[in-house]
């Protein structure tokens, strides 16, 4: 259902408030650079710090700026099932193509609890669901076996897997079927994930290098692994630099280096990228040919 280079979009702030004009410009630039879909209100979008009204304003702004050119996968996850349902219903009414639903964090549900959570969401809304497994942040890991059970629920169409366990690509393919959409949640593992059967990545790096990431995705889709390896190597330092400090500090700094209309402002408890991180980002942007740093 989804494939290619899909940025987990940052949420720009200015003077403490959502900067809707900058976000609209970011979305338009992404689409023109070859991005295949958009994810607002994910982790990289600092969704835990967005109030309900802001969350929905971000989704609305993304949909308006995308103007139907690419699908929008709205971040709707929560550790509260009722809140996730509320987000999904809003996103569906607004025109989103799907909902990105992270594993319930902090609560640490059992695997059966995971299944009950996603089944309740699917029962409450017919918006397609992209399951997001990121145990490094949520602590609760959606096992490969549980994901295969989730794939049996009508409406659960894809996985964004940031577990770092590449063996799961094969397990998911066998248990969920070839038609189930597998997306990498780790930029640095995008290449091996694609070789094993993945069809794209919900990416942090794509925020700052959308054309390179789109070209990389196209090479993978064509089975041009030699070309994909060249682009992987070109992007690799940038992948690392995006996590040289707590995300999304580095990626917001990188965008401020590329666009003079983008502010690197983040919200507490995230703080701006450190000096060491900024140096790493500058070096990686230069090495990838995104900007020239003197």
């Amino acid at each position: 259902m989804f494939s290619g280079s899909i940025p987990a979009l940052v949420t720009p702030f200015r003077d403490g408030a959502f900067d809707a004009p900058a976000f609209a410009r970011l979305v338009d630039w992404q689409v023109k650079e070859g991005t295949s879909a958009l994810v607002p209100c994910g982790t990289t979008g600092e969704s835990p710090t967005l109030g309900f009204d802001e969350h929905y304003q971000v989704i609305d702004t993304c949909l308006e700026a995308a103007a139907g050119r690419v699908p929008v996968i709205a971040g709707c996850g929560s550790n509260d099932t009722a809140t996730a349902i509320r987000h999904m219903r809003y996103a569906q009414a607004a025109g989103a193509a799907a909902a990105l639903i992270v594993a319930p964090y902090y609560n640490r549900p059992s695997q059966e609890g995971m299944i009950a959570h996603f089944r309740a969401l699917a029962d409450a809304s017919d918006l397609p669901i992209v399951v997001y497994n990121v145990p490094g942040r949520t602590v609760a890991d959606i096992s490969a076996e549980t994901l295969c059970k989730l794939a049996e629920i009508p409406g659960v169409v894809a996985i964004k897997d940031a577990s770092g366990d590449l063996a799961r690509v094969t397990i998911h393919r066998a248990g969920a079927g070839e038609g189930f959409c597998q997306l990498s949640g780790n930029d640095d593992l995008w290449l091996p994930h694609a070789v094993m059967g993945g069809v794209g990545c919900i990416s942090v790096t794509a925020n700052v290098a959308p054309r390179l990431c789109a070209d990389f995705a196209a090479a993978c889709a064509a089975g041009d692994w030699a070309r994909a390896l060249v682009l992987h190597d070109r992007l690799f330092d940038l992948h690392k630099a995006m996590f040289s400090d707590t995300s999304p500090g580095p990626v917001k700094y990188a965008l401020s280096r590329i666009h003079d209309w983008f502010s690197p402002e983040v919200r507490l408890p995230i703080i701006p990228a450190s000096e060491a991180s900024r140096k790493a980002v500058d070096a990686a942007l230069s090495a990838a040919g995104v900007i020239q740093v003197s």
Side-chain angles (χ1 to χ4, degrees):
M1 186 171 184
F2 303 105
S3 62
S5 177
I6 306 171
L9 294 168
V10 297
T11 302
F13 301 121
R14 193 171 293 274
D15 299 325
F18 169 50
D19 188 348
F23 191 55
R25 292 182 74 172
L26 177 66
V27 167
D28 185 62
W29 178 61
Q30 285 286 335
V31 175
K32 289 176 177 176
E33 290 291 292
T35 285
S36 59
L38 299 162
V39 175
C41 299
T43 306
T44 310
E46 296 172 86
S47 56
T49 69
L50 300 175
F52 282 117
D53 289 344
E54 284 183 316
H55 191 117
Y56 301 150
Q57 187 183 4
V58 172
I59 291 173
D60 287 341
T61 303
C62 187
L63 285 162
E64 182 179 352
R69 292 175 290 173
V70 297
V72 171
I73 307 167
C76 294
S78 174
N79 68 327
D80 170 24
T81 303
T83 295
I85 289 172
R86 173 177 173 174
H87 289 339
M88 286 183 69
R89 287 175 172 167
Y90 185 91
Q92 183 172 9
L100 180 70
I101 304 291
V102 70
Y105 43 87
Y106 189 78
N107 307 34
R108 299 182 68 183
S110 66
Q111 296 301 302
E112 289 303 313
M114 293 281 193
I115 294 170
H117 173 74
F118 282 97
R119 191 176 299 280
L121 300 185
D123 287 346
S125 170
D126 56 9
L127 190 65
I129 293 172
V130 179
V131 176
Y132 179 20
N133 190 32
V134 56
R137 285 186 179 269
T138 64
V139 182
D141 181 23
I142 301 173
S143 73
E145 293 73 21
T146 295
L147 189 279
C148 294
K149 293 178 182 178
L150 292 178
E152 297 174 0
I153 299 173
V156 175
V157 301
I159 173 75
K160 174 189 177 182
D161 188 3
S163 69
D165 181 1
L166 287 169
R168 296 190 186 198
V169 183
T170 301
I171 298 170
H172 293 164
R173 195 172 68 252
E178 293 286 346
F180 189 78
C181 176
Q182 295 199 61
L183 303 167
S184 176
N186 298 94
D187 286 277
D188 58 345
L189 297 179
W190 188 349
L191 177 57
H193 189 275
V195 171
M196 296 178 72
V199 296
C201 180
I202 297 181
S203 164
V204 175
T205 303
N207 276 279
V208 301
R211 174 58 63 185
L212 282 174
C213 288
D215 289 348
F216 173 77
C220 291
D224 187 350
W225 303 117
R227 172 67 173 157
L229 183 60
V230 169
L231 290 168
H232 167 82
D233 289 346
R234 183 174 171 184
L235 285 162
F236 193 73
D237 284 349
L238 200 53
H239 295 332
K240 291 193 297 181
M242 293 301 95
F243 294 93
S244 56
D245 213 335
T246 304
S247 183
V251 65
K252 282 192 158 183
Y253 168 72
L255 279 166
S256 75
R257 297 285 282 129
I258 297 167
H259 300 297
D260 59 9
W261 43 263
F262 192 94
S263 167
E265 185 176 330
V266 290
R267 278 186 175 170
L268 289 171
I270 305 300
I271 60 173
S274 65
E275 181 180 358
S277 175
R278 294 195 301 271
K279 288 181 178 178
V281 169
D282 282 342
L285 288 171
S286 181
V290 176
I291 63 171
Q292 296 301 315
V293 179
S294 59

